[in-house]
Amino acid sequence: MPDNPVPHQPIVAIIAGGEGRRMGGTAKCLLKLGNTTILERNIKRLSPQAGGIIINSNNHSEELCLLSEQWQARLISDSAKYSHCGPLAGLASALSTLAIEQQAGAQMPTGLVTVPSDSPFLPEDLINRLGTIANKQPHKVVCASSLGQTHYMTAYWPLSVYPQLEAFLQRGERAVRFFLKQAEYETVDFAAQRVNGIEYDPFFNINTPEDYTLAQSIIDVSQ
């Protein structure tokens, strides 16, 4: 991540904390679609709207370290105190990192956008649309939704939510949706995408080898 984040543009945290067990332990963000890893696809798509990129992963492989350096992204692990907090561990670790830097005098935007690392088709206007609502309701979390489903970890989080999240986790709570009910949130709906007759959710994520095959087929027909 650049030393001086771009003012008013949110930091983006790509959350890659899962172990990928159903994919044979493979880091899903490093799977290739065409000639490009999913991680690179997402950085290319999101970085023009972002003030900086954080990659949250506990697997600091040589390839991941090289890619983070190439794209000037900061690679962080889950903080030890959040290591058993499930999907919220990556969010809490990223917010903690930004809070420490803000306390040290670094200039920070008001928000953090999180996206999962295994979603290869994120909308190009994702950050702008989430940010539009966040600017109108700056104390609320703004989540993406599609096809009747809310994507709790594809969201714009005000940095001010961190103390509330930390207290939530210290009580032993773990469920993202329960935290969001307490923090209050809005949703922004995104339409399904279609390529040559194949309709897919823009927030489709790869959990299994079958999902990976489907993602490859979408890439193949779109080229």
Side-chain angles (χ1 to χ4, degrees):
M1 187 170 70
D3 292 334
N4 297 304
V6 179
H8 311 304
Q9 288 186 307
I11 302 296
V12 172
I14 299 174
I15 308 297
E19 298 179 4
R21 292 176 181 172
R22 286 180 286 179
M23 294 294 294
T26 301
K28 292 184 288 184
C29 66
L30 298 179
L31 293 172
K32 284 195 171 182
L33 293 174
N35 297 318
T36 307
T37 64
I38 296 173
L39 177 63
E40 291 174 286
R41 283 178 59 84
N42 284 337
I43 292 177
K44 287 179 183 177
R45 184 158 292 195
L46 299 175
S47 59
Q49 308 164 51
I53 301 287
I54 290 173
I55 302 168
N56 165 244
S57 175
N58 296 319
N59 175 18
H60 290 201
S61 67
E62 182 179 0
E63 183 178 5
L64 188 55
C65 289
L66 287 172
L67 284 174
S68 64
E69 183 177 349
Q70 175 187 340
W71 290 97
Q72 295 185 295
R74 180 174 302 184
L75 182 59
I76 67 168
S77 301
D78 288 341
S79 173
K81 64 179 177 178
Y82 303 131
S83 60
H84 301 293
C85 296
L88 287 173
L91 169 63
S93 298
L95 287 172
S96 174
T97 296
L98 297 180
I100 290 169
E101 293 179 357
Q102 192 171 40
Q103 289 170 3
Q107 185 179 22
M108 287 289 158
T110 56
L112 172 77
V113 171
T114 55
V115 297
S117 67
D118 56 3
S119 294
F121 306 117
L122 295 172
E124 292 184 358
D125 61 350
L126 174 64
I127 296 175
N128 288 339
R129 290 190 60 192
L130 295 180
T132 296
I133 302 302
N135 288 337
K136 295 176 181 177
Q137 302 188 66
H139 301 296
K140 287 189 177 183
V141 180
V142 184
C143 299
S145 66
S146 61
L147 302 176
Q149 180 179 358
T150 300
H151 306 286
Y152 298 119
M153 287 303 294
T154 303
Y156 187 114
W157 308 82
L159 299 190
S160 59
V161 82
Y162 176 54
Q164 187 178 358
L165 174 61
E166 188 167 42
F168 179 83
L169 295 174
Q170 287 176 347
R171 293 195 300 270
E173 303 281 359
R174 299 290 182 266
V176 183
R177 67 183 184 279
F178 291 156
F179 175 69
L180 283 168
K181 287 181 180 178
Q182 294 180 23
E184 297 189 45
Y185 70 97
E186 297 288 338
T187 60
V188 178
D189 194 59
F190 292 79
Q193 303 297 303
R194 181 178 293 273
V195 176
N196 289 348
I198 298 179
E199 185 175 275
Y200 60 92
D201 189 329
F203 302 103
F204 165 84
N205 62 314
I206 297 174
N207 288 315
T208 66
E210 292 75 20
D211 293 335
Y212 184 37
T213 298
L214 176 57
Q216 288 175 314
S217 69
I218 293 171
I219 292 293
D220 289 341
V221 299
S222 64
Q223 293 177 340

